[in-house]
Amino acid sequence: MKIIASNFKTNHTRKSTLQFCENLEKFIAKNQTQNQSFPHQIMIFPPQSALLENRFKSFQVGAQNAYPTKNGSYTGEIGLEQLEEFGIQTLLIGHSERREILKESQEFCAEKFRFFSQLGFRICYCIGESQEIKQQGIEAVLEFLESEFEGINLNSPDLIVAYEPIWAIGSGVSASLEEITQIHTRLKQKLGKIPLLYGGSVKPQNVREILSLNGVDGVLIGSASWEISSFCQILDNSIDLRSKE
Ligand code: PGA
């Protein structure tokens, strides 16, 4: 079973998210039979204002962000109490847009991680290097990725790691199959059985070859997942792939 996750970022409204999720539910129902369930685990991360109750049969709704608190005075943020109202138990932490644009430090990512992992959340923890670090070579990349594990307990149950090179995000050009294989092979030596996703310009045209690589347990998708037709195409193009256990 592969993991296929869609990060809506700052796209979609509550109304369009609901429509998306209903269509997705129909697509999955159409593609499974009584004897054969849908081959992939699916997660959808809508924006906070469009969080939906986590009540769908065939996929999980998760949150793109939350503050490590039950409640309190953190203007503009949501905490555990707000997530609980929707039955949300899945969270993205460490996405490069939050690290780079919103200036979240490694220490803060680790604090969020500790808070929510202790509560039993399923965390999709993102790491990834910039173009500048990439140019310094593979060892510099690995050293940087290692620094993004600081304070992260890799023995936490329900942890998923997403490797998303920043230079491939939203660019339309994913990392090459060789690059993905090289980094995933090295990361897998560290992560063992923790599922490892790739993210960065995954789309209908390349999802199959990326998911077929050794060491790729799934994908985290932004832009190509926002239109339901494109997301269903991604699912359709990879429907017969299963993780090599
Ligand atoms: P992208 O985004 O698919 O648009 O490159 C991926 C991500 O940021 O998770």
Side-chain angles (χ1 to χ4, degrees):
M1 182 172 283
K2 302 278 187 184
I3 298 169
I4 302 189
S6 164
N7 176 8
F8 281 14
K9 307 191 180 183
T10 319
N11 300 283
H12 276 291
T13 60
R14 187 168 197 77
K15 193 173 164 192
S16 65
T17 300
L18 185 59
Q19 220 164 41
F20 182 107
C21 288
E22 284 170 352
N23 284 330
L24 179 58
E25 192 100 298
K26 277 187 216 149
F27 174 84
I28 294 172
K30 217 173 60 195
N31 284 283
Q32 61 187 5
T33 60
Q34 251 178 357
N35 306 328
Q36 196 160 33
S37 57
F38 197 73
H40 307 314
Q41 250 180 70
I42 296 166
M43 301 188 291
I44 305 295
F45 296 91
Q48 310 292 46
S49 65
L51 275 184
L52 299 178
E53 217 177 309
N54 187 27
R55 59 163 172 85
F56 295 92
K57 277 200 242 61
S58 46
F59 57 90
Q60 295 289 313
V61 177
Q64 293 176 23
N65 179 44
Y67 200 81
T69 186
K70 183 170 193 299
N71 51 31
S73 299
Y74 304 95
T75 301
E77 296 290 309
I78 63 168
L80 177 63
E81 205 170 86
Q82 287 72 35
L83 295 176
E84 277 179 342
E85 184 179 22
F86 295 93
I88 303 286
Q89 289 168 324
T90 309
L91 187 61
L92 280 183
I93 295 181
H95 191 282
S96 60
E97 284 154 14
R98 294 206 64 87
R99 293 181 191 262
E100 299 249 303
I101 303 169
L102 294 147
K103 309 289 176 225
E104 281 190 9
S105 64
Q106 180 57 29
E107 208 180 315
F108 186 49
C109 292
E111 189 188 331
K112 281 193 204 182
F113 186 93
R114 270 192 302 278
F115 183 86
F116 287 103
S117 66
Q118 273 166 20
L119 291 164
F121 270 68
R122 183 169 210 214
I123 294 171
C124 181
Y125 182 70
C126 307
I127 57 170
E129 83 285 1
S130 63
Q131 176 69 29
E132 200 186 339
I133 295 172
K134 176 189 194 275
Q135 278 163 354
Q136 293 166 27
I138 173 87
E139 293 310 321
V141 170
L142 289 164
E143 197 181 314
F144 178 79
L145 297 179
E146 184 65 39
S147 74
E148 294 196 316
F149 285 118
E150 218 168 278
I152 304 300
N153 179 3
L154 296 179
N155 294 317
S156 313
D158 269 341
L159 167 62
I160 297 168
V161 172
Y163 169 60
E164 300 200 297
I166 298 171
W167 44 271
I169 292 179
S171 66
V173 183
S174 74
S176 69
L177 299 181
E178 293 71 28
E179 285 166 332
I180 300 172
T181 304
Q182 190 180 33
I183 299 288
H184 275 235
T185 306
R186 295 288 290 269
L187 285 175
K188 274 283 180 187
Q189 287 165 7
K190 178 182 178 70
L191 298 175
K193 285 198 176 318
I194 298 169
L196 179 58
L197 316 187
Y198 166 78
S201 297
V202 175
K203 47 194 171 185
Q205 299 89 317
N206 62 14
V207 66
R208 198 185 161 76
E209 48 187 359
I210 291 175
L211 278 177
S212 304
L213 295 173
N214 272 330
V216 175
D217 301 306
V219 285
L220 176 55
I221 314 168
S223 32
S225 67
W226 300 337
E227 293 279 344
I228 185 69
S229 55
S230 170
F231 192 54
C232 289
Q233 193 64 58
I234 284 171
L235 297 178
D236 208 32
N237 289 357
S238 55
I239 211 155
D240 57 335
L241 296 173
R242 284 166 197 272
S243 221
K244 294 170 204 121
E245 309 291 51

